[in-house]
Amino acid sequence: MSDPAPEKKSHKLWGGRFGAGPTAAFDALNNSIGVDFRLWPHDVRLSKAWAVALWNAGVLTLDESQAIERGLAAVAVRIEAGEPILDSDEDVHTLIDRLLHEEAGDVASKLHTGRSRNDQVATATRLWTMEVCTRLDAAVRMLQQAMLDQAATLEDALMPAYTHMQRAIPVSGAHWMLSHFWPLERDRARLKAALKSAAVLPLGSGAVAGCAYPVSRVLLQGTLGFDAVSPNSIDAVSDRDFVAEVLFSATMIGTHLSRLAEDLIIYGSSEFGFVQFGEGYTSGSSMMPQKRNPDALELARGSAARMLGSLVSLLATLKGLPTSYNKDLQDDKRPLFDATDTLLLVLPAVSGALAECTFRRERMSAAVSSTMMATDLADYLVRKGATFREAHSAVGKLVRESETAGVEMQRLPMSSFSSAHPLFTAGVMDALSAANSVAHREVEGGTGPAAVRAQLEAARMALLPPPAPRSSNNVVAQP
Ligand code: ARG
């Protein structure tokens, strides 16, 4: 049997029905202040709003409500100034309650009327999540801007596009760069949706069945900046879907960053040489003096694994739980904080690493070999009336011939072309130009110059700040 914790006067939000105190081993497991401390500004804010709601409901006098509000403001100042945390502070709510008693005296004991830590922690976590979604959005936009800036310089740079990591068809460098931009645009839409899911107010749900005092939840919603009030108190204290949504968004962003990092790492190898890394986000080797290692990109790639772990950990926590609050839910914050902290470290580093990359256009275009225009050669025959199947096989023969002879396709004699297919004439050499290959692909979303210009423009538009909402006293007069 474990020993009880040493006898000391500790501030608890519960304990009346217990004879002996909890064991030290239980406290060590149960205390969450080490994780949830960062919720304090939100807990102070919602507690102030709750004090007003209790006055509004006739539970507190105006004086009492204001004394609690002043006390909470003083608590915030103390925490901000580095107030030491005691071993007996079970969680952030207990800490704030203890300090409020020190600041406001006995009236502090009235604040917890009608509320439970169950609706309190759900509310504070949602407020924190709403804030982090906004910060993540800004950090993703910063990376998108770095991509757009690089893309703008690569519009007319030619490089191979790969499938199966084999040279496929030439594309504009901007087209490749923007292929990493649009996934992040979708991620921002997911973050926005996650923020909306978080913006539902649980406060007023009490422990599980709803508050027994006539508090105005709509006023609480407005004061705290939520979009809606939760429609069911049992659901409100157990719903962590919003955490799962943020974790999925974070994991998806992490995955996208990992793939960008992977492209850049490969392109930065001596074998490719498309990219030269800068010095601000790379490191050297303690043994090999020549090394410049793309650590920031590698850490971005590695971090995606931890974010995925966080998502899986939360979903595994939720899947077997009975509805309502269960203590397992205390562990929602660990993965939420770890994944978002990680992402907020990784995003600026990847933005910086990308911004200082120098793209080596000569190496990029030198990697475009003539066989990459094989599809264009087949299209040439199709335009002259051949079926694609027949054209595919004729060009395949030419590719084999150039490989066997060890020469680029434009070095093959004209006789090889005409014996591969009678529709080949001297103009075929144009079809072997990479610039022409790119120029032919003007379909929307293609790599043709006009299509890429339109894509760059669309990307610029996507990053414009949303129009400010028109306030009612600022209506533009109609002519
Ligand atoms: N620290 C707890 C958490 O994060 C607060 C809620 C505690 N609720 C309870 N019924 N013990 O979940």
Side-chain angles (χ1 to χ4, degrees), residues 278-286 290-296 298:
E279 298 204 337
Y281 296 87
T282 48
S283 77
S285 151
S286 57
Q290 84 282 12
K291 293 297 286 296
R292 187 188 289 176
N293 300 324
D295 294 35
E298 292 170 296

Side-chain angles (χ1 to χ4, degrees), residues 374-405:
T375 313
D376 299 282
L377 276 187
D379 289 339
Y380 167 96
L381 289 177
V382 168
R383 280 192 201 98
K384 289 194 152 198
T387 66
F388 186 75
R389 186 66 33 226
E390 166 193 340
H392 189 281
S393 135
V395 176
K397 282 198 196 86
L398 283 169
V399 169
R400 185 140 45 89
E401 203 175 322
S402 95
E403 260 173 20
T404 318

Side-chain angles (χ1 to χ4, degrees), residues 171-221:
V171 290
S172 139
H175 198 52
W176 162 77
M177 185 75 266
L178 290 179
S179 73
H180 290 284
F181 178 98
W182 300 110
L184 296 182
E185 193 57 19
R186 297 192 292 276
D187 289 330
R188 283 177 53 218
R190 274 185 278 271
L191 278 174
K192 203 169 160 193
L195 193 158
K196 198 167 159 34
S197 297
V200 178
L201 176 84
L203 202 58
S205 300
V208 64
C211 173
Y213 303 89
V215 290
S216 167
R217 298 192 67 213
V218 171
L219 276 185
L220 282 167
Q221 174 207 320

Side-chain angles (χ1 to χ4, degrees), residues 195-262:
L195 193 158
K196 198 167 159 34
S197 297
V200 178
L201 176 84
L203 202 58
S205 300
V208 64
C211 173
Y213 303 89
V215 290
S216 167
R217 298 192 67 213
V218 171
L219 276 185
L220 282 167
Q221 174 207 320
T223 309
L224 294 173
F226 283 90
D227 286 351
V229 299
S230 56
N232 179 308
S233 61
I234 306 174
D235 177 38
V237 295
S238 59
D239 172 15
R240 294 296 185 273
D241 296 7
F242 68 100
V243 180
E245 285 178 54
V246 173
L247 286 177
F248 176 73
S249 309
T251 306
M252 206 63 247
I253 296 169
T255 303
H256 289 144
L257 296 188
S258 178
R259 297 180 69 178
L260 167 69
E262 176 68 2

Side-chain angles (χ1 to χ4, degrees), residues 96-309:
I96 290 172
D97 197 73
R98 173 174 67 80
L99 297 178
L100 181 62
H101 276 82
E102 290 174 16
E103 290 297 326
D106 285 348
V107 69
S109 296
K110 297 193 173 184
L111 177 62
H112 215 54
T113 313
R115 80 172 181 184
S116 149
R117 278 182 297 166
N118 298 355
D119 59 350
Q120 196 178 343
V121 73
T123 306
T125 307
R126 282 172 182 269
L127 286 169
W128 189 91
T129 302
M130 287 151 72
E131 194 179 286
V132 86
C133 284
T134 309
R135 289 176 64 201
L136 285 171
D137 180 73
V140 174
R141 279 172 75 101
M142 208 171 85
L143 174 57
Q144 285 181 297
Q145 187 61 54
M147 288 177 176
L148 191 53
D149 293 345
Q150 286 288 14
T153 69
L154 294 173
E155 220 179 318
D156 57 358
L158 292 176
M159 66 181 283
Y162 299 86
T163 63
H164 311 267
M165 232 18 241
Q166 302 289 312
R167 288 176 179 173
I169 293 178
V171 290
S172 139
H175 198 52
W176 162 77
M177 185 75 266
L178 290 179
S179 73
H180 290 284
F181 178 98
W182 300 110
L184 296 182
E185 193 57 19
R186 297 192 292 276
D187 289 330
R188 283 177 53 218
R190 274 185 278 271
L191 278 174
K192 203 169 160 193
L195 193 158
K196 198 167 159 34
S197 297
V200 178
L201 176 84
L203 202 58
S205 300
V208 64
C211 173
Y213 303 89
V215 290
S216 167
R217 298 192 67 213
V218 171
L219 276 185
L220 282 167
Q221 174 207 320
T223 309
L224 294 173
F226 283 90
D227 286 351
V229 299
S230 56
N232 179 308
S233 61
I234 306 174
D235 177 38
V237 295
S238 59
D239 172 15
R240 294 296 185 273
D241 296 7
F242 68 100
V243 180
E245 285 178 54
V246 173
L247 286 177
F248 176 73
S249 309
T251 306
M252 206 63 247
I253 296 169
T255 303
H256 289 144
L257 296 188
S258 178
R259 297 180 69 178
L260 167 69
E262 176 68 2
D263 268 11
L264 288 172
I265 291 165
I266 293 176
Y267 293 172
S269 66
S270 307
E271 284 69 16
F272 274 76
F274 295 179
V275 173
Q276 188 158 3
F277 302 124
E279 298 204 337
Y281 296 87
T282 48
S283 77
S285 151
S286 57
M287 183 181 184
M288 299 164 281
Q290 84 282 12
K291 293 297 286 296
R292 187 188 289 176
N293 300 324
D295 294 35
L297 298 171
E298 292 170 296
L299 289 166
R301 193 174 54 190
S303 299
R306 292 207 353 255
M307 292 176 221
L308 173 59

